[in-house]
Amino acid sequence: MASSVPTHPSANTVAALLPKLSDADSDYRFMSLNDLYTALSNGHPGFLLQDFNTAARVVEGILKTLDDQNGEVQNLAIKCLAPLVLKVPPTILSPLVDKLSNLTTEHSVDRSVPATALRTVVTTFPRPVPGLPPSKAVEDAYVAISRVLIPRLVGHVVLSPSKKALPEPPRGILQIRADHPVDGDAVDVLIEVVRCFGPMLQDAEIRALQKAVMDIVEADRAGSVVKKRAVVAISVLALYFSDELLSAFVSQLIESFRNPHLTSAKRRLFITIIGSMARSIPQRFGPYLKTMAPFILSAISQEELAEQEHMVADDGDRDPQLDELRESALVALESCLASCSTDMRPYTTDAINAALLFLRYDPNFTDEGDDEDMGGTKSGDEGQLDDEDFEQEEDFEEEGGFSDDDDLSWKVRRCAAKVLYTLISTRASGDLLEDGTLYDKVAPVLVDRFKEREENVRLENLITMSALVRKTGEGVSIASLGTLDDALPSPIDAPQSRKRRRGGSEAGMFDPPSAYTLTSPVAAPLPSSGPLASLARLSPAIVRSMTKLLQGNSLPTKQASISLLGDIVTVQRGGLSEYLNQLIGPIVDAIKSTGTLSHTSTAASSASGAATATTNSLRVEALRLTAAIAETHATSVLLPHLTQVVPAVVSAARDRFYKISSEALAVVEHLVKVLTPPRLNVMMGPQEGYLSQLYSVVIDRVSANDADLEVRQRAIHALGVLLARTSGPEGAKLLAPAKRSQALDVLLDRLRNEITRLVAVRAVDVVASFAAHKNDFSAAWVRSVAVELGAQLRKADRALRGSSLSALKHLVLSPAGRVNVDDKTIKELVDYLLPLVTADDLHLLGPTLIILARLVAGHAKKVVTAELTTSLCALVLAPLTGLVLNALLLLVQTIGEEGVGRPLMQGLLKDVGVNGDAAVVGKVIGTLVVYGGSTVGVQIEDFERELETAQDDQRKCLALSVLGEVGLRRGASSPLTPDVFLHHFKSKSDQVPLAAAVALGRAGSGKVTVFLPVILAQMDSSGDAQYLLLHSVKEVLQHARLAEREVAAQSHQIWAKLFVAAQAEDNKAIGAECIGRLAMVDPKTFLPMLQTHLKDRMALVRGIVIQAIRYTLTDVDASYDDLLKPVLVPMLTVMLGDSDLENRRLALTTLNSAAHHKADLVLPSLSQLLPLVMKESHVKPELVREVQMGPFRHKVDDGLEVRKSAYETLYALMETAFSRVNVVEFYDRVIAGLGDEHDIRVLCSLMLTKLITLDADETGRRLDGIAEKFRIILSTKPKENAVKQEVEKAEEASKGVLRVSMQIHRRFPMAGGAAVSGQNQVWRSYWEWTRKEFSMPIKAMEEEGHFKIVTS
């Protein structure tokens, strides 16, 4: 039935509906209310403001329907209140609230209707926004709340608007009455009042509400549900407590705790209040924990437990309220540890002892091997479990479990496990994990309690242990754990080594990677101490427990157990070799599990995925564990078990459920590596039969068009691995040539399929990367694949283009590809590659140039066309560096060697010349001159004449660059002498002297015995000449690998000259770089000398040494790392403690570099270095001074640059060593940085975006602190006379804050939604204000597609 309400209703429209609200038929009343709701919602905001009579009648009508016998009518009446309060005159708001607060329902069964109606009105009222003055509508709403609702709640007038006495209101809704129970719904009304109008409430109102709520908490007549809501109300009120009120409230709590007649129930409530306060206002409440924490800990102390157990032994009855008290105490303890970690540090030992005590607390179950108290750990090895423990558990399960429904001790044990989980999450990194507390005290008890009879508790124990194992692995360097079996690129990318050759040479670009350079995984030697050593010692006990648990019937327990084993394998990179006989059987059984029954647990934490376990999720977890075992354990250990594993995995790979099939194919990939060289010699075992089974299932899955796309992608990559590992003559013994040919054809077919093309390209890349023999591919296959890959280079998909180019490069470089590419294919490939010879995309340019260089060799006339020459000339105009420049020089070198360089040389001289960067153009021309010889049409003498006759500085620079490159590449046969370059040091040009210095160094690198003595002899001069000669020395040292012996022979003389020259102001940076590069030439000699100079009395010398050490950190030689390892951390410690401010800044940049390049050397000792970095991130008042500028005084912070460097270092450590950082202290500095200078604020905002992912738990706890800083930034407006840069900075800061705020809200949508507790109230208020005041920028960001805001 269509509504009769017009589109633009008036007051008359509403008045016409009111009589029908009293109709005898409930349907008519409902329809009338529905029309009324439509009219109120669609009406103009002011259409009832001038008609007081109609507005009053509407209020009366709705109030009457709130007492309707029909529940649907009541609900709709409540719904009508929301638009009504926004349309009626302000003078009606107070009477409306008064009547609602006094409303009694006579005809309704639901007694909560008045309170629900009040909550609707309160939440609909316009509410204040912190930081902004309240509007007229907000003030009117607050008047109604303050004058009517709050007195009605507490039972007396709190704020008198005038001096004349007002009549006392009726008894308060929250007041305790003997004839009426306390209304829990009224407490919810109070919560909404505080949540919506907290910023406007005056101190007297807060005090009155707090007293009313505490009266409920202390009242004996109030029910437990009402008291729990009262605790929530206190946590919401606490946000608006003044310092005086908070102190008084804490004092009141202390007095209540000390009351000798305090009951267990009240004590539990007071302890709960402490926990809720810690969550609600952690920063303000934290300092009070030194007084409050002992009250929590006393409730769960050993002494109190012993006393209570003694009373139980005497009386025979156990009070269930005691277990509720312990549960509440543990929950409060967890809240305090999570929210106020720093303030709880003094109570760490007590908290751990209490958690361990009650983790073993099971008074209704006697274990003969337990302690006398309650059944704790055994008197022997705490980490050991024998079969009797599990036999008793099985007997218990057979009896059907403990039948006493009043046994709440399992809740106590579960909360104890959660306390330990919180301690591990917040205090493990760089703290309790490093000092051994977690493994010495906590871990053995956790392992012992795996025998827990209650599944919920057992799951919490397993999850907590998994968290500890993962924390152990977070700080472990993978490289330190032995050789890994990672001989093939990953399924997604084909990564190149991050290590570069010293000097950046293009040598080796033609060398394809070898598939046989890596060996089978070997067990790394166990460290003598530390978390890894502790985990290794505990592993036998864990495995024994897991073996028994995996034989049980509980799916969640099995899944959590397998997940824990997976964490152990991942962290230790193995470690189960001795226990596979016990574990493989249960793991294979889990893989073979059938059925779809879902076993759901109520465990609150689901970190291991075991909170809801199904047969399928168990199988997936078991397959992941199998893959980890295969990846990290030696083949010799795995071979005896493959008879069980391979059939189970093959069967799972054919499963219809795509997740199982996909995970099984990942295991297949690892099994292929296990069964093929280099991990297993061809003659070592019967692997051919296993490989045949794996080959069949992979081909089947690749060819199955009805299989899920993810399954086919996994299968295609597994096929690539299989083909790569069975290449060469040895591989033919493992995979028959017919099968190999079939597999290659299938791969080509998948390559031509658009859906599977990308993963097929990557599989081809894998196969081509490790093709070691010319007969691995047929000529037809190579040509088809090459052309297909070339065609993809014109596609818009960047990932496809990059992967295709990588695959094509490896195909062309492989022996099989090189001999099977014909002229026709080369021509097509060149056509595909030429458009990529441009500086527009340097990521694609490097591989393109390498491919062309390979094609030029042997097919020069087909490849070196006019189009390629034109493209190369255009490319040389770009400022190329690094690997791309090396690839270009390699191509030019090959062109010269093939004798086809004349057209290119003509183009370079005619079309490029001085138009490009002289350094780049000179290197290209010099390379071509050296390797092209007489075929290029120019000689060295031509450039020498050009240097002497040219009047143009740019031409001189180019000639110098060419001659420097010629000298470098010709080496000892170079006819050039130092005088050719030294003559131009005195040029009046700004560019020529520096170009001559660089050229002198490059030429000298090829002829060190001639040039270096001359350079050193000239260095005694001062001024510009010395500065230029330092650049020459730098070039020589950069290419020292070409003549290491000659350079080393003069190293001490170079060292002495450098230290003298570097002390000039202009020479510090370049001198320090030269010293650092010299130290890399002979580190055994010069590293100790650098360490000695760090203690020089001159700050200038110390600064030079600090910079020099930074330059040495880019060296990737393993022998250099061995020498640097014992001295790096002591040197960094000395640097960071330097008395000179600038030197400390340089030291921070050096640590930053070490974190990137030498993380393995720095991370183990980060606990020594991090406090020094944290110290520099603080604002130091002694470094802030005032400067008089005309009539104005400005503050100058001399410590700003050091502080910036400190935050940059923290950012670097967050990316490379976050697991080693104390996250609580780290977050303190990040939030402090949000209130610092602009550059630091930007960096901290960026850090926040990463912390959202790295530690979501701690981010959730810090939302209120973040909100306070963000509000200040957004509320800061530039002055009217601000310059353009200041305005732009303010706009950039606002946009950055909004962007981070949106990311946080997307990650924590509930934090910005309706309040369910006192937590995150500040963030919730901030987010509501942001969405209102910055709606346009937020909408613009949403439209850009960067964020999808979750509306709560």
Side-chain angles (χ1 to χ4, degrees), residues 156-171:
H156 61 87
V157 176
V158 179
L159 298 175
S160 179
S162 59
K163 294 183 179 180
K164 64 178 183 179
L166 294 177
E168 285 295 320
R171 290 185 63 88

Side-chain angles (χ1 to χ4, degrees), residues 603-917:
S605 176
S606 59
S608 68
T612 302
T614 64
T615 303
N616 285 337
S617 64
L618 174 63
R619 296 179 70 188
V620 168
E621 203 68 44
L623 287 166
R624 288 174 180 168
L625 174 58
T626 306
I629 291 173
E631 181 185 7
T632 56
H633 290 74
T635 297
S636 58
V637 176
L638 298 171
L639 275 178
H641 308 288
L642 294 184
T643 306
Q644 294 176 270
V645 173
V646 171
V649 172
V650 168
S651 175
R654 289 191 167 97
D655 197 274
R656 297 182 62 183
F657 184 43
Y658 77 97
K659 286 188 177 180
I660 293 176
S661 181
S662 176
E663 290 295 338
L665 287 167
V667 181
V668 167
E669 183 179 320
H670 289 293
L671 291 177
V672 167
K673 296 178 184 180
V674 169
L675 294 167
T676 52
R679 288 188 57 171
L680 181 63
N681 188 281
V682 174
M683 305 305 295
M684 278 183 62
Q687 65 266 48
E688 187 176 352
Y690 297 135
L691 281 175
S692 179
Q693 296 180 54
L694 299 176
Y695 171 85
S696 299
V697 72
V698 169
I699 288 292
D700 177 60
R701 295 282 82 190
V702 172
S703 305
N705 291 323
D706 60 337
D708 188 85
L709 178 60
E710 181 182 335
V711 174
R712 280 184 285 166
Q713 289 177 339
R714 284 270 193 171
I716 290 169
H717 189 267
L719 181 60
V721 172
L722 177 59
L723 291 171
R725 298 295 286 244
T726 56
S727 61
E730 293 291 320
K733 301 175 184 178
L734 300 174
L735 187 65
K739 290 184 175 180
R740 183 176 184 83
S741 178
Q742 178 194 5
L744 288 172
D745 291 339
V746 170
L747 194 56
L748 177 58
D749 180 66
R750 296 294 93 184
L751 182 62
R752 290 168 173 162
N753 186 307
E754 185 175 357
I755 297 177
T756 57
R757 179 172 292 147
L758 180 58
V759 69
V761 167
R762 288 169 174 163
V764 169
D765 193 8
V766 172
V767 177
S769 297
F770 303 102
H773 196 268
K774 63 182 181 180
N775 295 326
D776 283 339
F777 311 133
S778 66
W781 189 86
V782 170
R783 294 165 189 168
S784 299
V785 168
V787 173
E788 191 68 34
L789 291 172
Q792 309 314 313
L793 300 179
R794 295 185 176 179
K795 298 292 178 65
D797 188 340
R798 179 174 172 78
L800 179 60
R801 292 168 68 200
S803 298
S804 299
L805 197 60
S806 176
L808 186 59
K809 182 184 77 170
H810 289 133
L811 185 64
V812 170
L813 294 179
S814 68
R818 189 162 57 247
V819 300
N820 289 315
V821 179
D822 58 4
D823 291 346
K824 180 183 176 183
T825 305
I826 289 176
K827 185 178 183 307
E828 292 185 58
L829 288 179
V830 171
D831 291 339
Y832 287 129
L833 292 168
L834 277 178
L836 300 181
V837 184
T838 171
D840 293 340
D841 194 334
L842 298 180
H843 179 71
L844 301 180
L845 177 59
T848 301
L849 295 173
I850 294 174
I851 296 171
L852 287 171
R854 170 54 72 188
L855 294 178
V856 167
H859 307 88
K861 294 182 179 179
K862 296 262 189 274
V863 179
V864 184
T865 61
E867 291 82 2
L868 178 60
T869 301
T870 303
S871 298
L872 290 176
C873 290
L875 182 62
V876 173
L877 293 171
L880 304 178
T881 57
L883 294 177
V884 175
L885 179 58
N886 291 338
L888 174 61
L889 296 177
L890 178 63
L891 174 57
V892 172
Q893 174 183 335
T894 310
I895 292 173
E897 291 172 340
E898 292 293 319
V900 291
R902 183 182 291 270
L904 178 58
M905 179 61 77
Q906 292 174 351
L908 291 171
L909 295 176
K910 180 180 178 182
D911 300 330
V912 180
V914 297
N915 296 322
D917 184 355

Side-chain angles (χ1 to χ4, degrees), residues 82-96:
L84 175 66
V85 296
L86 300 176
K87 302 293 193 302
V88 297
T91 52
I92 288 184
L93 294 180
S94 294
L96 170 62

Side-chain angles (χ1 to χ4, degrees), residues 63-97:
L63 288 174
K64 182 178 179 181
T65 53
L66 287 174
D67 193 24
D68 199 282
Q69 294 178 348
N70 188 293
E72 293 183 355
V73 174
Q74 285 182 308
N75 292 337
L76 192 54
I78 294 172
K79 188 177 178 181
C80 288
L81 286 171
L84 175 66
V85 296
L86 300 176
K87 302 293 193 302
V88 297
T91 52
I92 288 184
L93 294 180
S94 294
L96 170 62
V97 172

Side-chain angles (χ1 to χ4, degrees), residues 297-350:
L297 294 168
S298 65
I300 47 178
S301 64
Q302 174 72 55
E303 295 77 11
E304 187 161 322
L305 177 64
E307 180 183 346
Q308 292 166 356
E309 290 296 318
H310 181 70
M311 294 174 61
V312 169
D314 292 342
D315 300 339
D317 294 330
R318 186 176 298 276
D319 186 0
Q321 288 191 357
L322 294 178
D323 283 343
E324 293 181 0
L325 170 63
R326 293 161 186 150
E327 179 190 3
S328 298
L330 288 167
V331 171
L333 179 60
E334 180 194 4
S335 299
C336 294
L337 290 170
S339 303
C340 308
S341 179
T342 303
D343 299 289
M344 287 295 292
R345 278 181 176 273
Y347 304 102
T348 301
T349 302
D350 294 335

